[in-house]
Amino acid sequence: MILIPKNWAEFQHYKDRAPPWIKLHKKLLDDRVYQGLPLASRALAPMLWLLASESKDGSFDGTHEELAFRLRTNLKDIIAGLQPLIDKGFFLVAQADSAVLADCQQVAVPETEGETEAKRETKTETPEGVSISVWKDFMKIRVAKKAPMTDTALAGLRREIQKAGLTFQQGIEMCCERSWQGFKADWLTEHANKFAKPAPNATVPGKQERDPELIRREQDSKNAAPIPENIREQIAKLKGTVIA
């Protein structure tokens, strides 16, 4: 026996089948038919929807023995919980080649939940001033970091890139190269200061500066005691001069 959830094509939309989770609508809380089912049937239904998510069209083996094995439940509880779900139309019984199964094939354009959110919050078109390939690379970084590209985010990105004196293409390329999800003009200044080489210590005085050593000697000469008269005479004799 093959079972298919009612309205599966409308209830679940996925690009890749066998998702790790299913959509459970809140309206079940106020569905009088569903809430009127036995407790065993209401508990069984989500488990059957999980089994349906394993196939492309929502069909799954609904034989009692298979369900008892897959859900680790005794056969008696499976039979008691399943029949009301079938009777009330929550699950359709069909063979693999029946018209009922064909009617339950996916007809809507499928997409994952994540892709739906991305389309709502992310600008998918390539903005002016940047190549398609570079923008795609940049958007991969944004998606990986869960940062949707809104109109406000795009305007801020352009403003900071322009402030840094770069073209939009250059700024986005830099973001891709450095795995940045955004751009700040100040980041370039901080990066340049971080890796700038320190200025060497000056050891030679400038052209307008006097040699410190000469200044020291002149000062020492001024502060020195005067030469005694007899010593001065001896120095003059040695030099062959006459002291006035």
Side-chain angles (χ1 to χ4, degrees):
M1 179 172 65
I2 302 297
L3 293 179
I4 306 169
K6 179 183 178 181
N7 298 329
W8 184 252
E10 299 176 7
F11 187 56
Q12 306 288 341
H13 293 277
Y14 302 100
K15 181 177 181 180
D16 300 317
R17 298 311 303 172
W21 41 263
I22 61 172
K23 297 176 183 177
L24 191 61
H25 286 231
K26 181 183 177 183
K27 65 182 180 180
L28 279 176
L29 293 173
D30 298 317
D31 189 324
R32 293 183 179 276
V33 178
Y34 181 80
Q35 295 298 344
L37 291 170
L39 183 59
S41 299
R42 284 181 280 159
L44 181 61
M47 298 296 100
L48 298 181
W49 288 327
L50 286 173
L51 291 178
S53 71
E54 295 178 340
S55 67
K56 183 176 181 180
D57 54 24
S59 62
F60 61 96
D61 187 346
T63 58
H64 297 156
E65 293 77 8
E66 179 66 14
L67 293 179
F69 169 72
R70 289 297 308 276
L71 302 180
R72 310 307 191 262
T73 306
N74 63 66
L75 192 61
K76 181 180 178 181
D77 290 340
I78 291 293
I79 296 173
L82 180 60
Q83 194 57 48
L85 290 169
I86 295 174
D87 293 342
K88 295 299 183 179
F90 286 95
F91 289 86
L92 307 177
V93 179
Q95 296 300 324
D97 57 350
S98 70
V100 177
L101 179 59
D103 291 340
C104 293
Q105 297 290 330
Q106 287 274 90
V107 293
V109 178
E111 58 190 15
T112 63
E113 189 73 12
E115 288 173 335
T116 301
E117 293 301 320
K119 288 181 179 179
R120 290 196 192 110
E121 300 181 359
T122 301
K123 295 181 69 65
T124 56
E125 68 274 11
T126 303
E128 184 179 356
V130 63
S131 65
I132 296 176
S133 60
V134 172
W135 185 252
K136 284 183 177 179
D137 289 344
F138 178 61
M139 289 307 302
K140 289 178 182 178
I141 297 174
R142 300 277 303 192
V143 171
K145 297 186 177 183
K146 299 181 179 180
M149 179 54 71
T150 61
D151 290 332
T152 302
L154 181 60
L157 193 64
R158 285 189 180 279
R159 182 177 60 253
E160 289 296 322
I161 291 176
Q162 185 177 13
K163 188 189 298 184
L166 303 175
T167 65
F168 194 59
Q169 173 80 13
Q170 292 172 333
I172 298 301
E173 286 178 350
M174 184 173 294
C175 290
C176 294
E177 292 169 358
R178 302 180 182 182
S179 296
W180 290 349
Q181 72 180 47
F183 189 98
K184 292 291 184 182
D186 293 341
W187 293 349
L188 298 185
T189 303
E190 293 173 0
H191 185 273
N193 292 338
K194 180 178 179 181
F195 294 97
K197 294 182 178 180
N201 295 328
T203 56
V204 179
K207 294 182 178 180
Q208 302 301 325
E209 299 178 1
R210 297 187 62 195
D211 192 330
E213 181 63 21
L214 292 177
I215 296 175
R216 185 185 64 80
R217 292 182 180 180
E218 290 178 357
Q219 191 64 34
D220 290 344
S221 177
K222 291 179 180 180
N223 296 334
I227 300 174
E229 186 65 25
N230 60 333
I231 299 299
R232 290 182 61 195
E233 292 177 354
Q234 293 179 13
I235 292 173
K237 290 180 180 179
L238 291 174
K239 291 183 177 180
T241 61
V242 178
I243 300 176

